[in-house]
Amino acid sequence: FEVLSVIKDHPIRKQSKSLTLPRYVPPDKDGKYKFLLFCEVYKEKLDPYRGVAIPPDSDIVKYLQGALALKDQPVAKKLSFYFDYLENSDTEISNDAYKEFGNAGYKEFADAAKSFSREKVLGWLNSSGTANFKMGLYASILGHCGKNEDAAVLRKMLDDPEKQTASGIDGVFAAYIMLDKDKGWEYLSSILTNPKKEFLFRYAALRAIRFFLEFMPDLLPKKQLVDGIMILLEQEDIADLAIEDLRKWQIWDQADKVLALQEKDSYKKIPIVRKAVLRYALSCKGNKAVDEFVKAQRMKDAQAV
Protein backbone atom coordinates (compact mmCIF):
# COMPACT_ATOMS: atom_id res chain seq x y z
CA PHE A 1 0.00 0.00 0.00
CA GLU A 2 1.10 3.54 -0.74
CA VAL A 3 0.54 5.74 2.29
CA LEU A 4 -1.20 8.95 1.18
CA SER A 5 -2.35 10.33 4.53
CA VAL A 6 -1.84 9.48 8.18
CA ILE A 7 -4.65 10.22 10.62
CA LYS A 8 -2.95 9.00 13.79
CA ASP A 9 0.70 8.09 13.63
CA HIS A 10 3.04 5.83 15.60
CA PRO A 11 6.87 5.98 15.80
CA ILE A 12 7.13 2.39 14.60
CA ARG A 13 6.02 3.51 11.12
CA LYS A 14 9.24 5.53 10.83
CA GLN A 15 7.63 7.91 8.31
CA SER A 16 7.49 5.13 5.75
CA LYS A 17 5.42 5.92 2.63
CA SER A 18 4.53 2.30 1.93
CA LEU A 19 3.00 -0.52 3.91
CA THR A 20 3.05 -4.23 3.12
CA LEU A 21 0.22 -6.37 4.48
CA PRO A 22 0.94 -9.99 5.48
CA ARG A 23 -2.14 -11.11 3.55
CA TYR A 24 -3.41 -10.96 0.00
CA VAL A 25 -5.71 -8.12 -1.06
CA PRO A 26 -6.97 -8.21 -4.68
CA PRO A 27 -5.71 -5.16 -6.58
CA ASP A 28 -8.16 -2.44 -7.58
CA LYS A 29 -7.10 -2.02 -11.21
CA ASP A 30 -9.89 0.46 -12.01
CA GLY A 31 -8.98 2.83 -9.19
CA LYS A 32 -12.51 2.79 -7.73
CA TYR A 33 -11.34 2.59 -4.15
CA LYS A 34 -8.81 3.71 -1.63
CA PHE A 35 -8.46 1.98 1.72
CA LEU A 36 -8.63 3.28 5.23
CA LEU A 37 -6.39 0.97 7.25
CA PHE A 38 -6.63 0.48 11.00
CA CYS A 39 -3.43 -0.77 12.60
CA GLU A 40 -2.09 -1.70 15.98
CA VAL A 41 1.40 -2.57 17.21
CA TYR A 42 1.87 -6.25 17.99
CA LYS A 43 5.22 -7.82 18.86
CA GLU A 44 7.07 -4.72 17.71
CA LYS A 45 5.41 -4.82 14.31
CA LEU A 46 2.67 -2.80 12.64
CA ASP A 47 -0.35 -5.07 12.35
CA PRO A 48 -3.16 -3.90 10.03
CA TYR A 49 -6.29 -5.52 11.46
CA ARG A 50 -9.05 -3.81 9.47
CA GLY A 51 -9.48 -2.17 6.09
CA VAL A 52 -12.40 -0.13 4.81
CA ALA A 53 -12.80 0.54 1.08
CA ILE A 54 -13.66 4.19 0.42
CA PRO A 55 -14.26 6.27 -2.74
CA PRO A 56 -11.13 8.08 -4.00
CA ASP A 57 -12.76 11.47 -3.40
CA SER A 58 -13.94 10.61 0.14
CA ASP A 59 -13.65 13.22 2.92
CA ILE A 60 -12.74 10.50 5.42
CA VAL A 61 -9.29 11.91 6.22
CA LYS A 62 -10.61 15.43 6.81
CA TYR A 63 -13.50 14.01 8.83
CA LEU A 64 -11.40 11.83 11.12
CA GLN A 65 -8.72 14.48 11.62
CA GLY A 66 -11.43 16.99 12.53
CA ALA A 67 -13.06 14.55 14.95
CA LEU A 68 -9.73 13.81 16.67
CA ALA A 69 -9.01 17.52 17.04
CA LEU A 70 -12.33 17.94 18.91
CA LYS A 71 -12.09 14.90 21.18
CA ASP A 72 -11.63 17.00 24.34
CA GLN A 73 -14.14 19.70 23.39
CA PRO A 74 -17.71 20.04 24.77
CA VAL A 75 -20.28 17.70 23.23
CA ALA A 76 -22.28 20.58 21.73
CA LYS A 77 -19.22 21.75 19.81
CA LYS A 78 -18.58 18.22 18.55
CA LEU A 79 -22.16 17.91 17.33
CA SER A 80 -21.81 21.14 15.37
CA PHE A 81 -18.91 19.50 13.55
CA TYR A 82 -20.78 16.23 12.94
CA PHE A 83 -23.85 18.10 11.70
CA ASP A 84 -21.96 19.16 8.58
CA TYR A 85 -21.33 15.51 7.70
CA LEU A 86 -24.79 14.03 8.30
CA GLU A 87 -25.54 13.83 4.56
CA ASN A 88 -22.01 13.31 3.29
CA SER A 89 -21.82 11.34 0.05
CA ASP A 90 -19.59 8.75 1.75
CA THR A 91 -21.96 6.56 3.78
CA GLU A 92 -19.16 5.54 6.15
CA ILE A 93 -18.90 9.20 7.17
CA SER A 94 -22.60 10.07 7.22
CA ASN A 95 -23.51 6.99 9.27
CA ASP A 96 -20.72 7.63 11.75
CA ALA A 97 -21.84 11.26 12.18
CA TYR A 98 -25.41 10.05 12.72
CA LYS A 99 -24.24 7.65 15.45
CA GLU A 100 -22.50 10.50 17.27
CA PHE A 101 -25.87 12.21 17.67
CA GLY A 102 -27.28 8.97 19.06
CA ASN A 103 -24.52 8.91 21.69
CA ALA A 104 -25.16 12.47 22.87
CA GLY A 105 -27.35 13.38 25.83
CA TYR A 106 -30.47 15.44 25.23
CA LYS A 107 -29.22 18.62 26.94
CA GLU A 108 -26.08 18.74 24.81
CA PHE A 109 -28.11 17.95 21.70
CA ALA A 110 -30.65 20.70 22.43
CA ASP A 111 -27.93 23.29 23.07
CA ALA A 112 -26.23 22.47 19.77
CA ALA A 113 -29.36 22.08 17.64
CA LYS A 114 -30.51 25.66 18.26
CA SER A 115 -27.63 26.95 16.16
CA PHE A 116 -27.90 24.49 13.26
CA SER A 117 -28.94 25.57 9.77
CA ARG A 118 -32.72 25.49 9.52
CA GLU A 119 -32.56 25.68 5.71
CA LYS A 120 -30.22 22.70 5.49
CA VAL A 121 -32.44 20.56 7.73
CA LEU A 122 -35.56 21.50 5.75
CA GLY A 123 -33.74 20.47 2.59
CA TRP A 124 -32.95 17.06 4.07
CA LEU A 125 -36.51 16.52 5.28
CA ASN A 126 -37.94 17.43 1.88
CA SER A 127 -35.49 15.28 -0.07
CA SER A 128 -36.62 11.89 -1.34
CA GLY A 129 -33.00 10.74 -1.06
CA THR A 130 -32.86 11.09 2.73
CA ALA A 131 -32.96 7.75 4.54
CA ASN A 132 -36.15 7.22 6.55
CA PHE A 133 -34.22 6.22 9.68
CA LYS A 134 -32.67 9.70 9.82
CA MET A 135 -35.98 11.56 9.67
CA GLY A 136 -36.55 11.45 13.43
CA LEU A 137 -33.21 13.10 14.13
CA TYR A 138 -33.68 15.77 11.48
CA ALA A 139 -37.20 16.51 12.70
CA SER A 140 -35.87 16.83 16.27
CA ILE A 141 -33.24 19.29 15.09
CA LEU A 142 -35.91 21.30 13.28
CA GLY A 143 -37.98 21.34 16.46
CA HIS A 144 -35.15 23.29 18.11
CA CYS A 145 -34.04 25.58 15.26
CA GLY A 146 -37.19 25.84 13.11
CA LYS A 147 -40.12 28.23 12.88
CA ASN A 148 -43.87 27.77 13.32
CA GLU A 149 -44.36 27.63 9.56
CA ASP A 150 -42.06 24.58 9.36
CA ALA A 151 -44.65 22.49 11.24
CA ALA A 152 -46.39 21.89 7.89
CA VAL A 153 -43.35 19.92 6.69
CA LEU A 154 -43.57 17.63 9.71
CA ARG A 155 -47.32 17.19 9.34
CA LYS A 156 -46.78 16.09 5.73
CA MET A 157 -44.31 13.46 6.95
CA LEU A 158 -46.74 12.18 9.59
CA ASP A 159 -49.49 11.87 6.98
CA ASP A 160 -47.26 9.78 4.70
CA PRO A 161 -48.14 6.07 5.26
CA GLU A 162 -44.63 5.01 4.22
CA LYS A 163 -43.05 7.08 6.99
CA GLN A 164 -45.52 6.35 9.80
CA THR A 165 -43.75 3.20 10.96
CA ALA A 166 -40.22 4.45 10.29
CA SER A 167 -37.65 4.54 13.06
CA GLY A 168 -37.67 7.85 14.92
CA ILE A 169 -41.20 8.92 13.96
CA ASP A 170 -41.73 9.82 17.63
CA GLY A 171 -39.19 12.59 17.05
CA VAL A 172 -41.41 13.93 14.27
CA PHE A 173 -44.45 13.93 16.61
CA ALA A 174 -42.49 15.78 19.29
CA ALA A 175 -41.03 18.34 16.88
CA TYR A 176 -44.46 19.02 15.38
CA ILE A 177 -45.78 19.90 18.84
CA MET A 178 -42.68 22.01 19.61
CA LEU A 179 -43.28 24.13 16.50
CA ASP A 180 -47.09 24.27 16.68
CA LYS A 181 -48.25 23.26 20.13
CA ASP A 182 -52.02 23.36 19.58
CA LYS A 183 -52.24 21.71 16.14
CA GLY A 184 -49.48 19.26 17.02
CA TRP A 185 -51.22 18.02 20.17
CA GLU A 186 -54.57 17.85 18.38
CA TYR A 187 -53.00 15.64 15.73
CA LEU A 188 -51.22 13.40 18.24
CA SER A 189 -54.45 12.97 20.21
CA SER A 190 -56.30 11.96 17.04
CA ILE A 191 -53.77 9.17 16.52
CA LEU A 192 -54.00 7.96 20.12
CA THR A 193 -57.79 7.77 19.97
CA ASN A 194 -57.86 5.73 16.77
CA PRO A 195 -57.19 2.04 17.49
CA LYS A 196 -57.28 1.35 13.75
CA LYS A 197 -54.00 3.17 13.28
CA GLU A 198 -50.90 1.00 13.06
CA PHE A 199 -49.58 -0.08 16.47
CA LEU A 200 -46.11 1.35 15.77
CA PHE A 201 -47.62 4.72 14.86
CA ARG A 202 -49.64 4.90 18.07
CA TYR A 203 -46.64 3.70 20.05
CA ALA A 204 -44.56 6.50 18.50
CA ALA A 205 -47.17 8.98 19.76
CA LEU A 206 -46.82 7.47 23.24
CA ARG A 207 -43.04 7.78 23.06
CA ALA A 208 -43.46 11.46 22.16
CA ILE A 209 -45.45 11.91 25.39
CA ARG A 210 -42.62 10.20 27.28
CA PHE A 211 -40.19 12.67 25.73
CA PHE A 212 -42.15 15.66 27.01
CA LEU A 213 -42.54 14.17 30.49
CA GLU A 214 -38.81 13.54 30.78
CA PHE A 215 -37.13 16.33 28.86
CA MET A 216 -39.63 19.18 28.33
CA PRO A 217 -42.05 18.99 31.28
CA ASP A 218 -42.90 22.69 31.02
CA LEU A 219 -44.04 22.74 27.39
CA LEU A 220 -47.40 21.03 28.02
CA PRO A 221 -49.41 20.65 31.26
CA LYS A 222 -48.71 17.31 32.91
CA LYS A 223 -52.45 16.61 33.12
CA GLN A 224 -52.69 16.95 29.34
CA LEU A 225 -49.88 14.44 28.88
CA VAL A 226 -51.42 12.03 31.37
CA ASP A 227 -54.79 12.30 29.65
CA GLY A 228 -53.03 11.27 26.44
CA ILE A 229 -51.66 8.16 28.12
CA MET A 230 -55.05 7.32 29.62
CA ILE A 231 -56.63 7.12 26.15
CA LEU A 232 -54.60 3.99 25.46
CA LEU A 233 -55.99 2.04 28.42
CA GLU A 234 -58.96 1.12 26.23
CA GLN A 235 -56.81 -0.44 23.50
CA GLU A 236 -55.87 -4.08 24.00
CA ASP A 237 -52.62 -4.07 22.06
CA ILE A 238 -51.04 -1.14 23.87
CA ALA A 239 -52.78 -0.88 27.26
CA ASP A 240 -49.92 -2.63 29.09
CA LEU A 241 -47.41 -0.04 27.86
CA ALA A 242 -49.66 2.83 28.94
CA ILE A 243 -50.09 1.30 32.42
CA GLU A 244 -46.33 0.85 32.74
CA ASP A 245 -45.82 4.52 31.90
CA LEU A 246 -48.31 5.50 34.60
CA ARG A 247 -46.32 3.39 37.05
CA LYS A 248 -42.95 4.77 35.92
CA TRP A 249 -44.09 8.37 36.30
CA GLN A 250 -45.83 7.57 39.63
CA ILE A 251 -49.22 8.75 38.43
CA TRP A 252 -51.25 7.29 41.29
CA ASP A 253 -54.33 9.49 40.98
CA GLN A 254 -55.43 7.30 38.07
CA ALA A 255 -55.40 4.12 40.18
CA ASP A 256 -59.18 3.67 40.13
CA LYS A 257 -59.22 3.72 36.32
CA VAL A 258 -56.35 1.24 36.17
CA LEU A 259 -58.14 -1.15 38.55
CA ALA A 260 -61.34 -0.75 36.53
CA LEU A 261 -59.61 -2.62 33.72
CA GLN A 262 -60.45 -5.82 35.62
CA GLU A 263 -63.89 -5.63 34.03
CA LYS A 264 -62.49 -5.30 30.50
CA ASP A 265 -62.01 -8.18 28.08
CA SER A 266 -58.39 -7.13 27.57
CA TYR A 267 -57.67 -7.74 31.27
CA LYS A 268 -59.43 -11.09 31.31
CA LYS A 269 -57.82 -12.57 28.20
CA ILE A 270 -54.40 -10.88 27.93
CA PRO A 271 -51.90 -11.91 30.67
CA ILE A 272 -49.51 -9.05 29.96
CA VAL A 273 -52.24 -6.51 30.75
CA ARG A 274 -53.01 -8.28 34.06
CA LYS A 275 -49.31 -8.23 34.93
CA ALA A 276 -49.07 -4.52 34.12
CA VAL A 277 -52.04 -3.75 36.40
CA LEU A 278 -50.47 -5.81 39.20
CA ARG A 279 -47.08 -4.08 38.85
CA TYR A 280 -48.80 -0.72 39.00
CA ALA A 281 -50.75 -1.76 42.10
CA LEU A 282 -47.64 -3.09 43.87
CA SER A 283 -45.92 0.27 43.37
CA CYS A 284 -48.93 2.40 44.36
CA LYS A 285 -49.17 2.99 48.11
CA GLY A 286 -51.84 4.50 50.29
CA ASN A 287 -54.85 3.77 48.06
CA LYS A 288 -57.43 1.58 49.84
CA ALA A 289 -58.82 0.02 46.67
CA VAL A 290 -55.30 -0.79 45.44
CA ASP A 291 -54.33 -2.30 48.80
CA GLU A 292 -57.40 -4.54 48.71
CA PHE A 293 -56.62 -5.57 45.13
CA VAL A 294 -53.07 -6.57 46.04
CA LYS A 295 -54.28 -8.44 49.13
CA ALA A 296 -56.83 -10.35 47.06
CA GLN A 297 -54.16 -11.29 44.49
CA ARG A 298 -51.86 -12.61 47.22
CA MET A 299 -54.65 -14.71 48.70
CA LYS A 300 -55.43 -16.04 45.25
CA ASP A 301 -51.78 -17.01 44.73
CA ALA A 302 -51.63 -18.68 48.14
CA GLN A 303 -54.73 -20.75 47.40
CA ALA A 304 -53.27 -21.80 44.05
CA VAL A 305 -50.22 -23.18 45.84
Side-chain angles (χ1 to χ4, degrees):
F1 278 85
E2 179 187 358
V3 179
L4 300 178
S5 301
V6 178
I7 296 165
K8 188 176 182 182
D9 208 355
H10 191 283
I12 201 168
R13 187 177 68 89
K14 298 179 180 178
Q15 306 298 315
S16 173
K17 294 297 183 180
S18 65
L19 180 64
T20 301
L21 269 63
R23 60 184 65 85
Y24 176 71
V25 178
D28 175 24
K29 296 179 180 179
D30 298 327
K32 293 182 178 180
Y33 301 103
K34 291 181 181 179
F35 286 87
L36 174 65
L37 295 179
F38 295 83
C39 306
E40 62 183 2
V41 177
Y42 179 69
K43 293 185 177 180
E44 302 301 317
K45 291 182 179 180
L46 205 59
D47 179 27
Y49 62 90
R50 182 188 175 202
V52 179
I54 58 175
D57 59 349
S58 172
D59 293 325
I60 193 71
V61 173
K62 178 182 176 183
Y63 174 73
L64 291 176
Q65 287 176 338
L68 281 173
L70 292 169
K71 67 183 182 70
D72 296 323
Q73 296 297 313
V75 174
K77 188 171 183 178
K78 292 180 183 178
L79 292 181
S80 295
F81 169 80
Y82 291 120
F83 174 79
D84 291 333
Y85 289 92
L86 282 170
E87 285 297 312
N88 191 273
S89 58
D90 187 339
T91 55
E92 289 285 344
I93 295 175
S94 60
N95 288 341
D96 187 80
Y98 176 81
K99 290 175 183 176
E100 290 294 335
F101 277 84
N103 293 333
Y106 174 72
K107 185 180 184 304
E108 292 81 5
F109 165 77
D111 290 343
K114 294 172 185 176
S115 63
F116 292 165
S117 169
R118 164 181 171 259
E119 291 74 17
K120 185 177 286 189
V121 177
L122 283 170
W124 294 342
L125 289 172
N126 285 316
S127 172
S128 59
T130 302
N132 278 345
F133 74 88
K134 293 183 178 180
M135 291 298 187
L137 171 61
Y138 296 167
S140 296
I141 293 173
L142 188 65
H144 291 83
C145 69
K147 300 179 180 179
N148 177 266
E149 63 199 63
D150 301 331
V153 175
L154 303 178
R155 175 60 182 269
K156 183 179 178 181
M157 292 174 59
L158 291 167
D159 286 337
D160 185 345
E162 293 185 2
K163 291 184 170 64
Q164 289 180 356
T165 56
S167 172
I169 201 69
D170 53 316
V172 184
F173 271 118
Y176 184 20
I177 294 172
M178 290 167 67
L179 295 179
D180 192 331
K181 189 160 50 174
D182 294 335
K183 288 184 179 178
W185 181 258
E186 181 182 355
Y187 182 83
L188 183 142
S189 297
S190 72
I191 301 304
L192 292 174
T193 55
N194 188 351
K196 293 182 179 180
K197 290 292 184 180
E198 287 283 346
F199 168 81
L200 289 176
F201 199 39
R202 287 177 285 128
Y203 183 44
L206 176 59
R207 292 204 306 272
I209 292 177
R210 292 174 182 171
F211 167 79
F212 290 118
L213 283 168
E214 184 167 0
F215 297 111
M216 300 186 75
D218 298 327
L219 183 67
L220 296 169
K222 185 174 181 180
K223 182 181 183 306
Q224 186 173 339
L225 297 171
V226 172
D227 288 345
I229 298 175
M230 296 301 295
I231 293 171
L232 299 177
L233 262 63
E234 301 298 321
Q235 299 173 27
E236 293 182 355
D237 61 344
I238 201 170
D240 61 300
L241 296 173
I243 298 166
E244 181 60 18
D245 276 2
L246 296 175
R247 186 190 71 81
K248 176 182 176 181
W249 297 106
Q250 300 182 10
I251 301 169
W252 309 129
D253 59 349
Q254 301 295 329
D256 291 344
K257 293 180 180 179
V258 173
L259 292 184
L261 290 175
Q262 296 175 78
E263 304 302 320
K264 301 287 185 181
D265 289 340
S266 59
Y267 180 87
K268 296 174 182 177
K269 67 183 182 182
I270 304 177
I272 196 170
V273 174
R274 294 199 296 273
K275 290 179 180 179
V277 171
L278 182 57
R279 280 196 299 271
Y280 176 91
L282 288 169
S283 300
C284 179
K285 307 296 182 184
N287 183 299
K288 184 177 180 180
V290 169
D291 292 343
E292 290 178 355
F293 170 77
V294 172
K295 183 178 179 181
Q297 292 299 309
R298 285 175 172 155
M299 290 181 63
K300 193 175 184 180
D301 290 343
Q303 291 171 359
V305 175

